[in-house]
Amino acid sequence: MSTGSADLVVTGGPVHTGIPGERAEGFAVRNGRIVAVGTAGEVDAWCGPGTRRLDLAGRLAVPGLIDGHIHLGIGGTQLALELPLLPTDGPDEVLTKVRDWAGRLEPDEWIVGGILGSGTYAALNSREMLRRLDEASLGHPVLLRDDTMHNRQVNSAALAAMGVDDTTPDPPGGTYARDADGRLTGALWELTSTRAEEAAKSAQRDPHGRLMTALRAALERTRRIGYTSLQDAATMEHHLAALQDLERSGDLPAWIVASMPARDFLEAGAVGEELFAQAPRYRSEQIRPDFVKFVIDGVPTTRTTALLHPYRCHHDSEDSEFRGTPYWSLDELTAGLRRCAELGLGAKIHATGDASVRLALDAAAIVRKDPGPQPIIQIAHMSFIAPEDLPRFAELDVYADACPFLWHPSPLFDAVAHQVPTETMDRIWPFKDLLATGAVVAGGSDWPVGLPELNPWLGIETMVTRGAPEEQGDPRRVNPEQAITREQAVAAFTSASARALGIDDRTGALRPGLSADFLVLDRNIFEVPATEIHRTGVDETYFRGECVHSRG
């Protein structure tokens, strides 16, 4: 029985609450929160003279989606302001696009763009390709990002702007790629990319204005495809300041959870304690700087991932026993997690290899024995997990941050397979086994890593099919034994992600007391063929009970 009328009542179609197995016929909303979920009759009891009614007309309603791992600043800037490249573009196509883009720029402007497919990125790593890139750029400095976002390709003008030449030593955690004679090729691995980003940013006339434009573009895209909550995966102070400005102007239709880098990252700015100290200035109802980002290894394509088994060898100069080296020791990571507990912050740990996943779990095991408050711990990417480590996620209350959603054949997948041993690749993304142990699997895109396209419905589909969309014409399946159900996949992008982000008291499901964040879809994703899920359209997106996107 209601104790007053609702502002909004939603009926007329199936309602999936975000919890596997739960269905309803409708729900009621008051003051931006859900006050009732149940049968049509139960919900109708909340109708009053001023109640608005939303007739689903047979369409499916689901909770607003949550992206547990996204790079809003980089993705939005690429979307709105930079040279667009496809991961399938070969070197000649990249050079043509660079030349065309250069023709529209002012003389002092940089050419910044992405994404380069890992295969193309490797093909550009030579003195001859550096010469051709210099020629195509018409004198402009060039910075191109690869599909892992850990590496960059620059030209000679950019190297000069960075103050880097053949005699410049590699910094800790980064590499300036060189040819056999020690000459720079323009490829930058890991933290050398930061120096290039700093040089490009220093040439911008209005960095804050650019970032505001980028974030608006990213947020417009995310709400159009159904996201109402986002965990930014590497949040600097200038990101927090821009998000605060958007919230104050009423242009932030989402819950934002920020992840602050513990050490130098791929973008310039304060990190660690200096950043943690500034974060409370930006905390608000919608902006939650609640996580610390730990990057404890790199990416497989540059052999900077830490593996339990040796990388594949392709020529005699490679060490047949090389497994990669973590960036953090066990003692350092344990201390970092304990600092999170002291600050009341969670931990988002980038770990792409099975050795780095084990390191993260070992640190979690030590910290979980400590008395007092415990941090939320997420292990992000966790593409490879040794079978004996699978039960430890649930045992240690560690969330599996499953991203990116390239759970199907792709250029990046093939580039990873070129480096990682077959026995390790055969175990990639073991979602079904993780869920069977009681672990929580949270979904994320890692956008714009891997693919320039941002489509959570593709992520949901490929969790179920483990195959590429039919139109790609690739019949392969990626570790198909680890396919999960549609309800489990949807939970990964709703209720499970809310738990992993620490916002399940606010959103993530259609339950009384939670924010009225929901979507109206153009198809029932539980009934259409699984291979059609990626084509799902969002007719309407609601945030806190208000429509923030409508296709009508």
Side-chain angles (χ1 to χ4, degrees), residues 70-86:
I70 191 169
H71 297 274
L72 287 170
I74 295 174
T77 303
Q78 184 173 294
L79 182 67
L81 299 166
E82 296 177 346
L83 166 63
L85 300 173
L86 297 174

Side-chain angles (χ1 to χ4, degrees), residues 57-245:
R59 297 170 298 172
L60 176 67
V62 299
L65 300 185
I66 299 174
D67 193 320
H69 197 120
I70 191 169
H71 297 274
L72 287 170
I74 295 174
T77 303
Q78 184 173 294
L79 182 67
L81 299 166
E82 296 177 346
L83 166 63
L85 300 173
L86 297 174
T88 52
D89 287 341
D92 290 341
E93 292 167 300
V94 169
L95 293 170
T96 297
K97 290 182 178 182
V98 166
R99 182 181 293 276
D100 290 345
W101 195 264
R104 4 176 147 172
L105 301 181
E106 296 296 324
D108 59 343
E109 285 188 86
W110 281 59
I111 300 170
V112 180
I115 57 177
L116 294 172
S118 288
T120 302
Y121 176 73
L124 294 174
N125 183 19
S126 71
R127 291 287 296 182
E128 171 60 17
M129 292 306 298
L130 178 62
R131 182 194 65 77
R132 293 183 64 192
L133 185 58
D134 289 342
E135 182 180 272
S137 66
L138 306 181
H140 293 274
V142 176
L143 184 158
L144 304 177
R145 304 184 183 100
D146 80 334
D147 52 12
T148 72
M149 290 294 159
H150 280 241
N151 310 301
R152 307 289 187 269
Q153 182 71 36
V154 298
N155 70 345
S156 297
L159 289 168
M162 294 161 60
V164 172
D165 60 28
D166 292 342
T167 66
T168 304
D170 291 338
T175 301
Y176 296 110
R178 305 169 196 269
D179 68 6
D181 297 321
R183 298 177 299 173
L184 296 172
T185 64
L188 310 177
W189 298 348
E190 299 293 339
L191 289 185
T192 51
S193 300
T194 306
R195 194 160 178 176
E197 294 285 353
E198 289 175 338
K201 186 174 180 179
S202 69
Q204 295 174 5
R205 295 184 177 89
D206 180 14
H208 183 73
R210 281 176 58 89
L211 182 55
M212 292 289 285
T213 297
L215 289 175
R216 285 194 176 98
L219 291 166
E220 190 280 330
R221 175 67 59 88
T222 57
R223 67 175 174 264
R224 180 157 52 87
I225 57 179
Y227 284 124
T228 56
S229 302
L230 305 157
Q231 183 172 24
D232 193 57
T235 316
M236 312 299 285
E237 186 176 2
H238 54 277
H239 296 145
L240 291 170
L243 288 166
Q244 185 180 73
D245 286 350

Side-chain angles (χ1 to χ4, degrees), residues 17 47 65 86 126 187 190 224 277 289 302 368 372 484 496 510:
T17 67
C47 287
L65 300 185
L86 297 174
S126 71
E190 299 293 339
R224 180 157 52 87
T302 52
R368 290 299 190 228
I484 60 177
L510 300 180

Side-chain angles (χ1 to χ4, degrees), residues 22-39:
E22 280 193 4
R23 293 289 193 276
E25 295 179 351
F27 55 95
V29 177
R30 185 167 63 190
N31 296 327
R33 291 186 176 273
I34 296 171
V35 291
V37 181
T39 66

